[in-house]
Amino acid sequence: MELWLSTNIRAHDFISRDYWVGNFEIVKGILPDAQIYVYELDDKIKAFVGIDNGYIAGIFVSDEMQSKGIGKQMLEKAKELYSELSLTVYQKNIKAVNFYQREQFIIKQEQIDKNTGEIEYLMVWSK
């Protein structure tokens, strides 16, 4: 959960830190319902992806492991498991939008996240 919190705060500096802190316990409660795949190094979780029936709830990579292909590996695992994937990503998270587009996700819809008021994209990928 610490990785979830720190990654969200860093990646979404346009959203109040209080939003992420306030959702910490909620996410902690629902996380066990998703399929979680982790990347470990020296017996420590350095990255994870949460998937719920083909919906990618998020890919979270620690600061020190950023830009080393770990996120791509996590996404490749998801692509092995599902013939179609979807996710939402904030429009202002340009790094993530570009990453998913490089990985053949297409923007299907633009919408407003009712919790934050921020524009987000619904993106999909299929084999």
Side-chain angles (χ1 to χ4, degrees):
M1 284 304 300
E2 289 175 20
L3 180 57
W4 174 87
L5 182 61
S6 65
T7 303
N8 273 313
I9 291 170
R10 182 180 29 78
H12 306 110
D13 59 357
F14 49 90
I15 296 174
S16 167
R17 182 182 192 281
D18 294 341
Y19 172 78
W20 303 110
V21 172
N23 280 288
F24 185 91
E25 290 301 323
I26 294 166
V27 173
K28 186 177 178 181
I30 62 173
L31 200 61
D33 294 334
Q35 288 181 294
I36 307 294
Y37 298 91
V38 300
Y39 178 91
E40 291 182 275
L41 183 65
D42 299 327
D43 294 323
K44 293 184 181 169
I45 295 173
K46 297 294 184 177
F48 73 93
V49 58
I51 308 170
D52 187 11
N53 293 317
Y55 176 79
I56 298 176
I59 298 176
F60 306 93
V61 181
S62 64
D63 287 345
E64 72 269 17
M65 300 307 289
Q66 288 281 321
S67 300
K68 295 185 179 186
I70 307 304
K72 182 176 175 65
Q73 287 179 37
M74 305 299 274
L75 195 52
E76 289 300 321
K77 179 62 176 177
K79 287 177 175 180
E80 287 175 18
L81 298 170
Y82 295 92
S83 59
E84 183 171 295
L85 295 167
S86 65
L87 56 89
T88 55
V89 61
Y90 290 110
Q91 179 187 48
K92 290 180 182 174
N93 190 350
I94 295 166
K95 184 177 177 181
V97 172
N98 291 339
F99 168 73
Y100 290 120
Q101 287 180 320
R102 276 193 315 270
E103 296 302 318
Q104 282 70 55
F105 279 75
I106 58 168
I107 297 171
K108 278 291 196 186
Q109 184 177 331
E110 184 177 299
Q111 57 201 28
I112 302 290
D113 176 5
K114 65 181 185 215
N115 297 312
T116 63
E118 292 288 337
I119 297 170
E120 65 182 2
Y121 296 136
L122 171 64
M123 300 183 79
V124 297
W125 168 88
S126 59
K127 287 186 181 178

